[in-house]
Amino acid sequence: MKDDARADLGRVGIWTFAFEGLPAGQVREAAAEIEELGYGAVWFGEAFGRDTVGQAWLLLSATRRITVASGIANIAFRDPIAMATAERTLGEAFPGRYLLGLGGHRVDDTVHHVDGYPVPAKGRAVTTMRNYLAAMDAVPAHGPVPDPAPRRVLAALGPKMLHLAAERTWGAHPYFVSVEHTARARQIMGPDAFLAVEQAVVLDTDLGRAREVATAHVGGYVSMAAHQEANVRRLGFGDDDIVGGPSGRLVDAIVAYGDAEAIRRRVQQHLDAGADHVCLQVLTADPAVPPQREWRELAAALLDGRLR
C-alpha cells in the first residue's frame, strides 16, 4: 500500500492556511482548481478558523481524486475519541483520499480514558503523542470501518518524534524546515517511512520584495513558536541568526524565493535528500487571499515530469 499511496500524492502538493478565512463556496472552487492543475495533495493548516474535520469534508466533497491532508489537526483541540471517529468517517466516505496529520500540544489538566487506557493531557510531547495515538486505536468501531484504513503522519521535527512517526504512523510531515533537516529526518526514520515536507516559497522575480515577505514569515515563527526556534538551533543556527530578527542565512534555508526555476531547484533538493513529497506553501504580501495565480504558474513549472 505504501508505494501506491506515495504515487497517489505525487511529488508536489499545495499547503495553505488561506482556506480558513474563505467562504465555503470559494474553498470548493479553489480546491477543484488545485486538483485540475495536477497537484497530488492539498494540505491545510488549523488555527482558529474552520475546524479541521469540517475543512477536510469540505475539500474532499469538492474534489474527486486528490488527497486531502490535515497539516496538522491539533491534538489540543479535540479528544482522541472524537478524532478517531472523525478519521473513520472521512476514511469510509472518501476511501484512500484522507490523510490525517497530527500535531500540537495538549495543555489542559484532563486525563482521558479509552477502554481503560489513560491519556495524559499534558507532559512531554512524544509521550503525549504516543498515548494519544494509542487512545485513538483503542476506540471501538460502532459503524462502518474504512478500507483502506486512513493514513496518519506526525508533525515531527526532533529525533524522538521522528522515531515515533516511523514507528507508529505512516510517516512525518515536518513544517518550517531546511533541506538539511529533510536529510536528517530520512536518516532517522529509515527508508520506508513516508516523508512529506512543507516548503515555504515566494514566487516573485523582484528578489528584494520576495525577501521581505520571506523574512516576515520566518521572523514570525521563530519569535512566537518555541519548538520552531529549538528546531532551527538543532540545525546549527544560533543567536546571531535568531535574536533581533532572522538572519539572511536562516531565511534562505527556510524559504525558497525567486522565479519558478529557483523553487523547482529547492523542491528537487528536498527530493534528493529523501523527501517523498514536497507541499508548497506560497507566501504573498496578503496571506488572506489565496495565491491562485502562483499555484497555476508553479503547476506549469513543476508538474511537467522533470522532477526526479
Side-chain angles (χ1 to χ4, degrees):
M1 176 181 167
K2 280 189 175 182
D3 289 341
D4 290 343
R6 282 189 170 102
D8 289 346
L9 267 74
R11 303 297 256 168
V12 181
I14 291 296
W15 197 106
T16 185
F17 260 129
F19 295 150
E20 285 211 324
L22 289 182
Q26 291 183 36
V27 173
R28 292 189 188 98
E29 292 173 1
E33 181 176 18
I34 289 171
E35 179 175 64
E36 185 178 349
L37 288 169
Y39 291 104
V42 55
W43 299 74
F44 62 95
E46 179 181 36
F48 300 101
R50 194 174 282 112
D51 168 76
T52 189
V53 178
Q55 189 76 280
W57 192 281
L58 182 59
L59 293 167
L60 286 161
S61 63
T63 53
R64 294 174 297 140
R65 59 157 186 83
I66 197 169
T67 296
V68 171
S70 60
I72 47 77
N74 195 326
I75 66 172
F77 292 178
R78 58 192 58 82
D79 187 283
I81 300 174
M83 192 73 260
T85 53
E87 178 188 42
R88 287 175 188 161
T89 301
L90 290 166
E92 191 267 332
F94 304 96
R97 292 183 54 214
Y98 178 54
L99 175 57
L100 174 60
L102 291 168
H105 304 282
R106 299 184 70 86
V107 295
D108 58 271
D109 293 321
T110 306
V111 176
H112 305 283
H113 294 266
V114 179
D115 284 358
Y117 200 103
V119 184
K122 67 177 184 178
R124 294 187 178 275
V126 174
T127 299
T128 300
M129 182 61 77
R130 183 184 296 276
N131 289 342
Y132 191 92
L133 291 169
M136 285 184 65
D137 290 341
V139 177
H142 296 294
V145 176
D147 182 21
R151 296 155 290 173
R152 298 175 190 164
V153 293
L154 300 184
L157 293 174
K160 292 181 180 179
M161 193 67 82
L162 287 164
H163 275 297
L164 180 64
E167 173 195 348
R168 290 284 285 106
T169 73
W170 195 42
H173 172 46
Y175 180 95
F176 197 80
V177 293
S178 64
V179 172
E180 181 183 356
H181 184 277
T182 296
R184 292 186 186 184
R186 176 52 69 199
Q187 183 177 23
I188 290 168
M189 294 197 302
D192 296 328
F194 180 70
L195 181 57
V197 179
E198 177 269 347
Q199 174 63 62
V201 303
V202 184
L203 184 60
D204 191 338
T205 55
D206 183 326
L207 295 184
R209 186 171 58 203
R211 195 181 185 99
E212 285 182 12
V213 173
T215 300
H217 174 75
V218 175
Y221 271 101
V222 171
S223 65
M224 293 187 299
H227 64 290
Q228 296 293 4
E229 179 180 338
N231 187 57
V232 298
R233 287 185 182 277
R234 274 194 298 267
L235 292 170
F237 296 96
D239 286 348
D240 290 345
D241 300 295
I242 297 168
V243 177
S247 68
R249 185 171 77 101
L250 177 56
V251 172
D252 290 351
I254 298 297
V255 183
Y257 56 90
D259 61 14
E261 184 55 35
I263 292 168
R264 172 195 281 279
R265 288 195 297 271
R266 180 66 63 88
V267 171
Q268 187 64 63
Q269 288 169 357
H270 278 294
L271 296 174
D272 291 344
D276 294 295
H277 176 84
V278 180
C279 39
L280 303 177
Q281 180 179 189
V282 177
L283 309 175
T284 66
D286 188 355
V289 177
Q292 290 172 282
R293 178 189 63 80
E294 289 85 352
W295 291 342
R296 295 169 193 140
E297 187 172 339
L298 288 171
L302 298 175
L303 304 179
D304 57 4
R306 286 192 289 159
L307 289 172
R308 301 187 302 277

